[in-house]
Amino acid sequence: MKTIQCYRRSTLVGRPMCVAVLIAVAMTMTSCRASERAQASGVGLCATTADYSAQSLPINVAPPPGPALLYAPAPRAPQLENTGVWEARPILISGASAYRCGEFLYQDWLFDDRGAAGAPDLSDPHGLASTSYLFSRKAGTLTYPKDPVYGNNAADLVELRIKALEDTTAFRVTLNTLHDPERVAFTIALGNAGKKFSWPYDSGVESPAEYFLTVHGSYGELRNAESGELVTPGPVVRLDVERRQFDVRVARAAWDPKSDVVRVSAGVGLWDGDKGTFLKPGLVATQNQSGGASVRQVAMFNVAFREEPMPDFGRFSGRTIVDAVLHALLQARFWRERAQADALRDGDISEFFAEVDFAKLREGRVDESGVPKIGHMNRIYASRFEFGQGIDYDRECGLGSSGPCDGPLIGQLQPYAVYVPSKPPADRGYGLSLLLHALSGNYNQFLGTNHASQLGESGPGFIVATPAARGPDGFYSDIAEADVFEVWADVARHYPLDPDVVALSGVSMGGIGSFRLAARYPDLFGRMMAIVASTPVSELMTSLRNIPIMMTTSVLDELQPIILTEATISTLNRLGLRYDALTFLTWDHLTPSTYDHYPYGADFLGQSRVDRNPPHVSYTLNPSLDSPRARVTTRGAYWVTGIELRDPDEGSGTIDAFSEGFGLADAQPAPLQRSNGVLTGGNHEPAPFRRRTRDWLPAEPIPIQDRIRLVARNVSHVTLDPKRARVSCAVELEVESDGPIETTLVGC
């Protein structure tokens, strides 16, 4: 390998050997075998599931932009695995149901195990006293016993399956957390006798039923709902603790659904081994008792087969933070358990049921009508990072945390929100718009809002994805940063994306995170929009040279004061970057979200095409922002990579590279444009704003030269890609550096 050493201003020419970069991309296709009956009849054969990653990610760019985590294959997830008779691929869209491979599947929400709306437990880390979840309040008040075996999540239903076998009916229940199967129990109500019955073992709920199938640990029983008598032969329960699955077989001699349509309900709670009943909650959680009890002391934490209301910002007309907190508390739809909490409060869960067609099961028919295809929804993905099971509130990051942080959602299965546009994908696929939630919010902050739908329906049509970021306060660093890219990779597996159409946006902490991610990985994004947010690290702003930026700021902002957002705009001006800044004269920090109308942002982000090979690349490297454990590291962008600092103690280094191989002069900033306007159409009165826009003048043509001009500060090594910079391996390097620097040319 031949390198080029430069010091101060010099012109050197060399022909280094090439550095080969090989990228292997594996497409994983999952499928299930059709049932023997379906194979014999030719009806309902199961189709394979497409993996769009090869189309949806920029794998044809060398090196691929962004962290390696974005391109990693999906990890093994035991909770999503099939064994024995189970064959159907999971739905992974919460609240959905389907018939696949002779199986009926229901997919529940994650972290919706909040129980009934009762008396708040004053010791609840997610309760009234919590400042971490101001804008993502829960509706149910149940809290788990403090014993770590419950993981604050032991009764969280992930999936319920039903399958008709020759001599038995098979049920499979998958939980999110399962340390001790003897501490958890569930009941499945089967059939409809025309009236309601109380569920057994002091569960505290009632619904129509003919039979109750109850399981705790490895014990299962089938009980006649009206007489209360046990039905024999009893169910057989097989436990798979690794997969957190209960496989239950009910003999047709005990209960025979034939080919009927059967009403099915299900609920999960904790088991009191001493009393042989469901664990009754008290007012305050203790080591072995749950807290936050409702008047009826309902023991169920999580109920299946629910339609849950989405957050409704249109009903929120308050303007202060106190108003917003009260709205979040009263509405409490952010964990998709509002309807569940209200029904459990009353002890009547009759509205939550599925009509399971056993004829479809026996014939192996496929029915996807219960799986949403467009609009707002919650998805589930399997992360490669797992720090335990359930929720650990002690792992919250805290305001302003800059160190490593796992976040409270420590398990492998993670949720995210997605909006799928009504328009079909363009020829190359949908665009992707990452929309990052605010501090103390959660991934459902934009669920049901115009914010998500207007961005989604803009331009060619965008899949809008909001990661959970592992909790309310990760500021999109470390594991919270990794969550963004794992969500991106999961979206890319399930939807056809145009890898060159990517937008980045966020509100408050999400806007701060947008600045952070765009500056670290500028070659991933076409445009970005920060709403009521400034940049915390102004030195990184140089990396945003090729990303037009929109900012929405508020004069009366309490949390991101106008002095901070104006400082960010001043930095954009100083660096000569392109931006569009709308400053609303009567708004505070919350008003953009409650107004919920984004025509300017939708038009702006709808043009988010990534410039993969710009003539001029600027990049500031700060390795302290990397997280090797989270596999989110970077060493450059575009055709300038492999940056190494000469003196790491200085914290950062900067490369500025301009190629004359494009035959274009460096684009110059156009004069600043100022205007005034009034935004109408949202949830409040018309909103006056002043607007400042700076674009670039058209780049003047210049003679094409085989030359790159390089300016470096505190950089000891950099790798350039001549092909992407439109120069040859004999390129003339004109280098200005504050110390020795080695330059490697790749691909020569």
Side-chain angles (χ1 to χ4, degrees), residues 125-319:
H126 195 156
L128 294 176
S130 171
T131 58
S132 300
Y133 301 91
L134 287 176
F135 306 123
S136 54
R137 296 295 188 179
K138 63 178 189 172
T141 57
L142 279 193
T143 55
Y144 281 94
K146 298 185 182 300
D147 190 328
V149 74
Y150 297 100
N152 292 306
N153 188 235
D156 188 10
L157 175 66
V158 173
E159 184 190 65
L160 171 62
R161 297 188 179 206
I162 303 174
K163 187 167 189 172
L165 302 176
E166 188 67 28
D167 298 318
T168 63
T169 301
F171 300 84
R172 194 181 80 179
V173 170
T174 304
L175 301 181
N176 200 11
T177 294
L178 187 62
H179 288 299
D180 183 353
E182 297 295 339
R183 307 286 189 104
V184 67
F186 60 86
T187 292
I188 300 175
L190 301 170
N192 185 357
K195 57 182 178 178
K196 300 175 186 178
F197 295 101
S198 295
W199 288 28
Y201 296 110
D202 290 333
S203 66
V205 300
E206 64 176 11
S207 78
E210 292 181 83
Y211 297 92
F212 291 117
L213 172 62
T214 300
V215 174
H216 57 88
S218 58
Y219 171 80
E221 66 174 38
L222 185 66
R223 192 176 291 272
N224 185 286
E226 186 164 18
S227 68
E229 296 179 351
L230 290 177
V231 180
T232 57
V236 176
V237 180
R238 297 182 179 89
L239 277 171
D240 189 330
V241 176
E242 181 192 16
R243 293 180 174 84
R244 304 168 206 177
Q245 294 173 354
F246 295 78
D247 185 310
V248 185
R249 307 293 173 87
V250 176
R252 292 183 68 177
W255 175 68
D256 187 359
K258 302 181 176 62
S259 293
D260 297 340
V261 175
V262 178
R263 188 186 198 277
V264 179
S265 301
V268 187
L270 305 181
W271 187 254
D272 187 333
D274 294 333
K275 296 181 178 179
T277 64
F278 279 94
L279 183 65
K280 285 285 191 181
L283 292 178
V284 178
T286 65
Q287 187 73 4
N288 297 304
Q289 183 181 47
S290 50
S294 61
V295 173
R296 298 173 182 269
Q297 285 189 294
V298 174
M300 289 296 177
F301 278 72
N302 199 179
V303 181
F305 310 122
R306 310 191 319 270
E307 291 187 11
E308 286 286 347
M310 297 185 187
D312 185 0
F313 287 89
R315 295 185 181 182
F316 177 43
S317 59
R319 307 302 287 275

Side-chain angles (χ1 to χ4, degrees), residues 387-723:
F387 306 101
Q389 296 185 35
I391 302 176
D392 185 349
Y393 292 103
D394 291 337
R395 300 197 190 207
E396 291 176 15
C397 299
L399 182 63
S401 173
S402 58
C405 176
D406 302 336
L409 306 183
I410 60 176
Q412 183 181 26
L413 297 186
Q414 293 291 317
Y416 66 95
V418 67
Y419 177 83
V420 180
S422 58
K423 61 180 66 175
D427 290 342
R428 295 193 61 194
Y430 294 110
L432 172 67
S433 184
L434 294 172
L435 182 55
L436 309 183
H437 73 73
L439 180 68
S440 89
N442 78 348
Y443 62 101
N444 284 326
Q445 176 176 345
F446 309 106
L447 198 71
T449 66
N450 291 328
H451 196 163
S453 61
Q454 286 176 336
L455 297 188
E457 300 294 344
S458 67
F462 285 79
I463 302 290
V464 182
T466 299
R470 293 283 179 154
D473 55 5
F475 279 88
Y476 302 97
S477 65
D478 194 39
I479 299 300
E481 179 178 337
D483 188 64
V484 174
F485 290 105
E486 288 199 296
V487 165
W488 186 341
D490 192 69
V491 173
R493 283 189 280 269
H494 290 96
Y495 300 97
L497 304 177
D498 183 339
D500 295 330
V501 179
V502 184
L504 176 63
S505 182
V507 173
S508 191
M509 181 184 78
I512 294 171
S514 295
F515 274 118
R516 186 183 190 278
L517 295 179
R520 280 172 54 74
Y521 312 101
D523 47 353
L524 280 177
F525 306 105
R527 293 189 170 198
M528 69 155 280
M529 177 172 66
I531 300 171
V532 289
S534 58
T535 177
V537 190
S538 59
E539 67 170 354
L540 298 182
M541 295 283 279
T542 56
S543 302
L544 300 176
R545 171 179 296 278
N546 296 294
I547 301 180
I549 297 166
M550 174 170 274
M551 291 182 63
T552 295
T553 67
S554 301
V555 169
L556 305 179
D557 199 319
E558 316 94 323
L559 303 181
Q560 283 284 293
I562 193 70
I563 190 173
L564 295 180
T565 52
E566 285 297 311
T568 297
I569 294 172
S570 295
T571 301
L572 294 172
N573 275 318
R574 176 174 56 82
L575 296 174
L577 303 184
R578 294 165 290 177
Y579 71 90
D580 189 348
L582 286 78
T583 300
F584 287 86
L585 307 181
T586 60
W587 283 6
D588 66 1
H589 190 73
L590 299 175
T591 321
S593 295
T594 62
Y595 195 84
D596 195 25
H597 187 47
Y598 299 88
Y600 297 107
D603 290 345
F604 182 84
L605 294 181
Q607 307 170 57
S608 296
R609 182 161 289 278
V610 183
D611 187 354
R612 294 283 181 210
N613 298 310
H616 192 167
V617 175
S618 299
Y619 193 83
T620 296
L621 176 69
N622 186 335
S624 70
L625 301 178
D626 287 346
S627 175
R629 75 163 187 151
R631 299 177 65 177
V632 284
T633 60
T634 180
R635 287 297 178 268
Y638 305 106
W639 44 271
V640 180
T641 58
I643 301 173
E644 297 176 8
L645 301 188
R646 186 183 311 107
D647 183 0
D649 291 339
E650 286 193 23
S652 65
T654 300
I655 282 286
D656 190 82
F658 179 76
S659 171
E660 298 182 19
F662 290 82
L664 295 172
D666 200 8
Q668 298 300 309
L672 182 65
Q673 302 294 314
R674 299 177 183 270
S675 62
N676 298 300
V678 177
L679 179 63
T680 60
N683 294 326
H684 306 310
E685 66 276 3
F689 62 87
R690 56 187 176 91
R691 189 173 192 175
R692 287 162 288 175
T693 304
R694 187 185 292 280
D695 205 341
W696 284 344
L697 297 170
E700 297 289 338
I702 60 173
I704 294 177
Q705 300 288 338
D706 198 12
R707 180 164 53 227
I708 292 177
R709 300 199 303 269
L710 202 65
V711 179
R713 180 189 65 78
N714 192 32
V715 172
S716 62
H717 181 270
V718 65
T719 298
L720 307 177
D721 188 326
K723 183 177 180 181

Side-chain angles (χ1 to χ4, degrees), residues 128 134 137-139 324-332 334 338:
L128 294 176
L134 287 176
R137 296 295 188 179
K138 63 178 189 172
V325 172
L326 288 174
H327 173 74
L329 178 63
L330 293 174
Q331 190 180 87
F334 302 98
R338 171 81 263 181

